[in-house]
Amino acid sequence: MRRVMKLVVSALLVGLVAACNAGGTSPAGGEDGPFTLVWGKETDPAGINPLKAGDIHAFEIFSLVYEPLTQPTEDLEVGPGLAETWEETSPTTWRFTLRDDVAFSNGRALTSADVVGTWEALKELDVRTGSFPNVDTMTVVDPLTFDVQLAAPMPDLPARMELFWVLPAEELAAGTFNPDEDLLGTGPFVAGEHVSGVSWTFEPNPHYWRDDVREVEELEIKFIPDDASRLAALRTGEIDFTMSSNPDIRTILEGDPSLEVTVQDTTDLYYLSLNSTWTGSPFVDQRIRQAVALTIDRQQIIDTALGGIGELTAITPSAFADACDPAGVLGAEGRDVDAAKELLAEAGVSELDFQLTVVPAFGALRGPQIAQVIQQNLQEIGLHAEVGVMDGGAWLEETFTNGTFQATLNWFTGGGSSSHLLSYMDPERAPILAHLVGDDPATLGLVREALALPPGEERADAVAAACESLNEQAFFIPLATKPTVIVYRSDRVEPVLNPIEPVQMTFRRLAEFGPAS
C-alpha cells in the first residue's frame, strides 16, 4: 500500500512508455464470442463478509454478488432494490415488501426470513450495526413482508437500506454457508476461481431476476496495486477499466483516443478530525480547533492534492439538495490567518507541535498529499503537524478503539441521505465513532432534533442549525468532496455508471456494461 501512496513520477513515465511500446491486444471476447470484461482493481478486499467488512474494496465485491434492500436512483432518490415497496406504519415502525421473483444463486427463493436472519447475524457480530442506528428488531410478517421496529423515529431508514445486503439466512443458520469464505447472494454474478492478491473470476448468476441487464458473460478481476501499472495495463489492453488516484490522469492520457477518463460524483468527503475529548490532545480547547479550521486552504487542497477534482462541502455532502451551505464551514470562504492567530493568543498558544495521522489503506490514497497542504498552511500560525502514515489496523485501534490520537485525516462515504453523516456526530447512534466527535450537549441536542424530523422545511432549518453548531465546535472539519476517477478502454467497453454514487459501489451497474459499439 505504501507503493500506492508514494507514486513516483519516474515510475509512472516508465510504465506508460513500456505500455506504448507493447502495443494493443484484441478486444475481450471477440466479435462472435461471449463478452468478457476485465477489471483492473487496486487490491483484494481484506474480508468478504458483508456482516462485518466495511471498506471500499469489500463493497465493490459485494455489489457483484449481493443486493441491498433499496437502491439509489440516478438523482439520489431512494429506489427499489430487493424491497419493492415500503411505508412508515407508525413513527417507530416501517413495513417493507420484497419482490416476488428473486432467488439466491443456489436457486432458493428469497423470503423475508432471510432479511430478518441477516439482521440477527448483524446484531450478533455488532460490527456494522452503526449503519442502522435506532433499528431495534426486525420481524417476519409473511414470506415477502417484514417490519422494522425502531427505538426512535428514523425518517431516512429507506436510504440506509442501500447498505443492507441480504444474506441467505437459511444456509447461514444451517452452517452450509460461511460468509467469511463463501459468496452466496441474489446479485448478477457468482464467484469463481480466486487467486488471492492476483485475480478473481465471476460468472453470471443463472437465477438472477433481471434478465434484461446481462451483457457480461464473464468478469475477470486482476489485482494491480500500483496506479501506474494499472494505466500501463489499460494501454496494452490487459484490462478494460480501472479507477485512478492520480490527479494528473487527464493530462497524462490526453491524446490517447482509446482511453476515456470520466469522473463520477459521490456523496463521499475528506475530513479532518481534531480530538476534543482525550486529555492528551491539544485540541480539547475549542479556540485551537477553530484556529485550525480558519487556516486550512481547502481550495489549495482541491487544486493541488486532488488535481482539481472535488469541491467544497459541509458536513452534509454537497450532492444532496438539502445539504448545508459549505460557506458556513469556518474558513471555507477564505483563510483568515489573523483571526486564527488571535484565537491562539487567547488560548495562550504561540507554538504547538502535534501528530496528524493519515491512513491510505482504506481508500484515502491522496491523504498524505492533503496532509502536506494542511501542514504547510498551519505553519503560518505556529502549529507544526508531524504527518504520520499508519496501516489500517493500527489506525483503527488508535482512532476508534482507544481514542488516543490528536488529529487524523480520512474520508467517509456520505450515504444515501444528508442525515447519514449527521448521525455520525451523535455517539449514541454511532458509538464506534465516539472518539472522532465532540460531546457538547447543545450540539448533540441540535443533531438529534434534526435527525428525528421528516423531510421538509422544518427539518431543513433544524439541519442548518446543527451544521452551524458543528462548524463552531470544529472537531470534525469537512475538507472537500471525494469523486471517483474512472478510466476505461472506449474501443472495448461501454460502461454504465450512476452519475452520483452514495455508498461506494462505483460499478453497481457492471452487469449492464456492454462491448463498445
Side-chain angles (χ1 to χ4, degrees):
M1 191 57 65
R2 291 178 182 269
R3 283 184 67 202
V4 179
M5 180 184 67
K6 297 179 178 179
L7 284 175
V8 181
V9 173
S10 60
L12 175 61
L13 293 176
V14 169
L16 291 182
V17 169
C20 290
N21 292 336
T25 63
S26 60
E31 292 184 4
D32 299 322
F35 178 50
T36 298
L37 191 62
V38 186
W39 174 5
K41 195 176 183 315
E42 303 98 306
T43 184
D44 234 335
I48 60 169
N49 188 339
L51 301 174
K52 55 188 179 184
D55 67 89
I56 185 172
H57 305 298
F59 280 25
E60 289 168 350
I61 295 298
F62 296 162
S63 68
L64 302 176
V65 176
Y66 298 104
E67 292 181 294
L69 286 167
T70 60
Q71 296 266 15
T73 66
E74 292 192 355
D75 56 0
L76 280 188
E77 296 296 323
V78 183
L82 293 180
E84 196 165 33
T85 62
W86 50 88
E87 62 175 332
E88 193 175 24
T89 56
S90 81
T92 56
T93 306
W94 286 82
R95 175 161 291 184
F96 289 77
T97 301
L98 299 173
R99 297 179 182 275
D100 63 2
D101 57 352
V102 179
F104 290 97
S105 58
N106 63 0
R108 183 178 65 78
L110 168 74
T111 72
S112 55
D114 292 300
V115 179
V116 173
T118 299
W119 173 247
E120 293 299 326
L122 275 167
K123 282 202 304 182
E124 183 176 351
L125 283 176
D126 195 25
V127 176
R128 289 194 58 241
T129 49
S131 297
F132 314 101
N134 288 344
V135 174
D136 188 8
T137 60
M138 294 188 186
T139 55
V140 172
V141 176
D142 61 42
L144 294 176
T145 310
F146 64 95
D147 282 347
V148 180
Q149 291 80 31
L150 304 172
M154 193 162 63
D156 71 332
L157 180 64
R160 288 183 176 273
M161 290 306 192
E162 293 171 2
L163 281 169
F164 193 102
W165 293 287
V166 180
L167 275 62
E170 181 179 318
E171 290 79 355
L172 185 63
T176 58
F177 165 64
N178 182 348
D180 287 315
E181 300 176 0
D182 307 318
L183 294 165
L184 176 58
T186 62
F189 294 98
V190 294
E193 183 180 3
H194 182 201
V195 181
S196 181
V198 178
S199 63
W200 204 343
T201 59
F202 290 80
E203 297 179 353
N205 174 3
H207 300 286
Y208 190 45
W209 57 277
R210 289 186 63 193
D211 290 333
D212 60 316
V213 303
R214 290 173 54 184
E215 287 273 4
V216 180
E217 293 300 325
E218 182 181 57
L219 169 66
E220 180 181 359
I221 300 177
K222 294 186 176 183
F223 299 111
I224 308 174
D226 183 66
D227 201 287
S229 298
R230 291 199 307 279
L231 295 180
L234 270 174
R235 290 210 184 241
T236 62
E238 181 184 349
I239 62 175
D240 296 324
F241 67 98
T242 189
M243 290 190 287
S244 176
S245 62
N246 193 315
D248 300 318
I249 186 67
R250 288 177 292 190
T251 302
I252 292 170
L253 299 181
E254 188 176 7
D256 190 326
S258 65
L259 298 181
E260 188 78 25
V261 179
T262 185
V263 177
Q264 183 186 54
D265 288 333
T266 70
T267 63
D268 305 338
L269 57 81
Y270 291 101
Y271 67 85
L272 174 67
S273 176
L274 305 176
N275 196 327
S276 63
T277 59
W278 177 47
T279 56
S281 168
F283 301 111
V284 173
D285 192 315
Q286 180 180 346
R287 294 167 296 187
I288 302 177
R289 301 196 303 270
Q290 290 178 335
V292 170
L294 287 168
T295 307
I296 295 173
D297 190 335
R298 292 165 181 77
Q299 195 58 51
Q300 184 185 4
I301 289 173
I302 294 169
D303 293 341
T304 59
L306 302 179
I309 300 173
E311 60 185 36
L312 300 177
T313 182
I315 290 174
T316 51
S318 57
F320 293 112
D322 59 349
C324 293
D325 187 352
V329 178
L330 294 180
E333 290 198 304
R335 301 173 69 214
D336 195 337
V337 174
D338 291 338
K341 289 180 177 179
E342 289 178 8
L343 286 166
L344 291 179
E346 291 176 13
V349 173
S350 58
E351 297 285 332
L352 175 65
D353 297 331
F354 69 96
Q355 182 80 16
L356 170 58
T357 59
V358 295
V359 54
F362 299 129
L365 298 182
R366 303 302 297 175
Q369 290 79 3
I370 297 173
Q372 288 173 5
V373 173
I374 294 174
Q375 182 185 54
Q376 294 166 5
N377 291 161
L378 295 183
Q379 286 176 351
E380 294 184 44
I381 60 171
L383 301 188
H384 308 289
E386 180 183 349
V387 178
V389 178
M390 302 183 70
D391 67 67
W395 181 81
L396 287 172
E397 183 176 3
E398 179 182 88
T399 306
F400 290 165
T401 304
N402 300 329
T404 53
F405 69 96
Q406 296 182 328
T408 192
L409 188 154
N410 210 327
W411 69 286
F412 273 141
T413 183
S417 74
S418 60
S419 61
H420 187 91
L421 284 187
L422 196 61
S423 70
Y424 284 2
M425 302 299 109
D426 181 357
E428 288 188 5
R429 283 181 174 244
I432 194 171
L433 304 177
H435 299 301
L436 283 177
V437 302
D439 54 6
D440 177 64
T443 301
L444 288 174
L446 291 170
V447 168
R448 290 165 183 166
E449 179 185 353
L451 293 172
L453 293 171
E457 186 175 345
E458 184 181 2
R459 180 184 183 277
D461 291 341
V463 170
C467 283
E468 182 179 358
S469 186
L470 288 165
N471 292 335
E472 288 297 317
Q473 288 293 317
F475 54 74
F476 183 90
I477 303 173
L479 300 172
T481 60
K482 184 180 181 294
T484 301
V485 180
I486 300 158
V487 191
Y488 65 94
R489 295 277 311 214
S490 57
D491 59 338
R492 296 175 56 150
V493 60
E494 289 185 356
V496 180
L497 305 166
N498 279 353
I500 305 175
E501 171 53 43
V503 288
Q504 303 177 28
M505 289 186 279
T506 304
F507 303 117
R508 68 168 65 243
R509 299 178 68 179
L510 193 146
E512 299 176 53
F513 282 27
S517 55

